[in-house]
Amino acid sequence: MSNKDRNPGQDALNVLVLSNFSDAIMDRLKTISPRLRFTRKVVKTASEVTPDIWKTVDILYTPSVLPDPASAPRLRWVQGHFAGVDRLLSQPLLAAEDVIVTSTSGIHAPKMAEFTLGMMLAFAHKIPTMLRLQQKSDWPENRFELLMPHELRGSTLGIVGYGSIGRATARLAQTFGMQVLATKRDVMHPATRGEFTFPDTGDPDGSQVNRLYPPEALKSMLSECDYVQVIIPATKANYHLIDAAALAAMKKTAVLINVARGEAVDEAALINALQTGQIAGAALDVFEQEPLPATSPLWKLDNVILSPHVAGNSEHYNESAAEVFAQNLERYLADEELLNVVDQARGY
């Protein structure tokens, strides 16, 4: 929706926050403008919010709960609590063209970049092997050969999806002396536009990537990479983007790191590639089925590091998410373009 269509004017705006924001965060939001009238509730379903509240809501902050379209006639803007908005976009309310949807994209970038660097360092310096030796009290005679590291300096990182997280990862990788490649939908415009970014992080102007590839050239990029970070949104177009053919294009010495969504990778094809040595290893934070079933072969593979969907976790998550919301509230009141506006046709 355009700024002209929004036209918030000077009337009071009712803001419903369906998140466990602290009193300190709520007090910070209330200082933005006397026009904003806040209600905070922590609920699991829309029915836990009374009809009289729904019918007056102008702005909604929510992890996933949305009202029935008819029950919230004044609602014009939904600010999501997460970077991924697939759960929100699947609900009937957002079929309406006059509802803006924004995300918290960007707040996860520094921590997920650190997580990715940690996984690369773990594989490069054989840390999983060291831990297995420690558990067995084993001081191997061939320790120098067995634990020979592969320096990140001079290695190539491929980033599948050059959004805020990929950009933050690229910045860190460059400091390690790595070459950075990335896929991007629009390679002619490497700079960010309308995205939230913490100061002095990421790659706002696109200068931290050595080469950009269009999505159609994914396999060409994969063939050059020592490490591959998957960080694409959950959309139909991205379902099993990393399939058997993509894995076959990778080096036998390459490591795959998936911090996006489990559905982005064909898990059966990945398991086969790991078992047969088609690729060297994988660090997986997300899975096609979560929790990962105890019967999954992934649990027992020595060349895999598993984490239970925690790469984006932070003790400061709510404060960071509220900062995006605060900046967007200020922009909304000033009739300016909001940060992290979701293109509902693309799904992110």
Side-chain angles (χ1 to χ4, degrees):
M1 182 174 65
S2 68
N3 291 335
K4 180 179 179 180
D5 293 332
R6 184 196 313 152
N7 190 22
Q10 295 301 315
D11 296 334
L13 294 169
N14 295 310
V15 184
L16 177 60
V17 175
L18 300 182
S19 184
N20 60 340
F21 280 169
S22 66
D23 290 344
I25 289 176
M26 294 304 301
D27 289 343
R28 152 79 171 100
L29 296 174
K30 290 173 184 176
T31 64
I32 293 172
S33 171
R35 291 180 57 202
L36 301 174
R37 298 175 179 174
F38 288 90
T39 301
R40 175 184 52 184
K41 289 182 174 293
V42 180
V43 301
K44 294 182 179 180
T45 64
S47 62
E48 296 175 67
V49 178
T50 58
D52 61 307
I53 292 178
W54 278 130
K55 71 181 181 182
T56 62
V57 173
D58 299 290
I59 300 169
L60 174 64
Y61 185 98
T62 180
S64 59
V65 173
L66 289 177
D68 177 86
S71 65
R74 292 177 47 166
L75 183 59
R76 292 294 176 267
W77 166 31
V78 173
Q79 170 70 59
H81 185 58
F82 302 109
V85 292
D86 42 304
R87 294 177 183 174
L88 290 176
L89 297 183
S90 65
Q91 299 189 47
L93 174 78
L94 298 184
E97 295 181 357
D98 59 347
V99 177
I100 302 172
V101 182
T102 54
S103 72
T104 57
S105 178
I107 70 169
H108 313 74
K111 63 187 72 71
M112 293 183 75
E114 290 179 10
F115 182 93
T116 299
L117 260 293
M119 293 300 102
M120 290 195 291
L121 286 166
F123 275 100
H125 291 273
K126 309 295 181 65
I127 292 176
T129 302
M130 289 182 186
L131 293 175
R132 286 193 292 273
L133 292 170
Q134 178 179 338
Q135 290 170 353
K136 297 186 296 182
S137 303
D138 185 0
W139 185 285
E141 292 185 5
N142 64 335
R143 63 187 188 280
F144 293 112
E145 295 81 9
L146 180 64
L147 300 175
M148 180 66 69
H150 301 287
E151 295 182 19
L152 292 188
R153 182 174 59 89
S155 297
T156 298
L157 168 64
I159 301 172
V160 183
Y162 204 54
S164 59
I165 297 168
R167 291 171 184 271
T169 306
R171 185 183 180 120
L172 294 184
Q174 289 285 1
T175 67
F176 277 81
M178 301 183 75
Q179 177 177 237
V180 179
L181 314 178
T183 62
K184 190 177 184 299
R185 187 175 57 85
D186 183 1
V187 297
M188 301 305 294
H189 296 91
T192 59
R193 291 176 290 180
E195 299 174 14
F196 175 83
T197 304
F198 288 111
D200 302 319
T201 66
D203 183 21
D205 61 359
S207 62
Q208 299 299 308
V209 63
N210 298 97
R211 196 181 316 144
L212 284 173
Y213 293 74
E216 297 77 15
L218 171 64
K219 295 182 184 64
S220 295
M221 185 192 80
L222 293 176
S223 67
E224 300 185 43
C225 299
D226 300 295
Y227 301 91
V228 175
Q229 179 196 45
V230 181
I231 189 60
I232 48 179
T235 66
K236 291 182 179 179
N238 288 336
Y239 179 78
H240 282 188
L241 183 68
I242 305 300
D243 57 9
L247 293 164
M250 293 174 61
K251 296 179 180 179
K252 290 185 179 296
T253 54
V255 172
L256 180 78
I257 303 166
N258 187 8
V259 288
R261 285 288 191 269
E263 294 83 355
V265 176
D266 183 337
E267 206 163 277
L270 175 61
I271 290 170
N272 180 68
L274 291 164
Q275 290 175 330
T276 61
Q278 191 174 40
I279 65 172
L284 307 173
D285 186 58
V286 289
F287 308 90
E288 293 200 68
Q289 182 181 341
E290 296 184 0
L292 181 66
T295 55
S296 172
L298 290 169
W299 289 109
K300 299 186 182 301
L301 292 178
D302 288 342
N303 55 349
V304 176
I305 300 176
L306 303 180
S307 54
H309 204 150
V310 294
N313 193 30
S314 168
E315 59 183 330
H316 306 298
Y317 190 98
N318 279 354
E319 288 79 6
S320 299
E323 180 58 30
V324 178
F325 191 33
Q327 291 189 28
N328 267 344
L329 285 169
E330 292 169 352
R331 287 169 174 260
Y332 192 87
L333 292 168
D335 204 18
E336 297 174 354
E337 199 67 34
L338 302 184
L339 298 171
N340 297 343
V341 175
V342 175
D343 183 328
Q344 297 192 44
R346 291 206 306 263
Y348 61 94

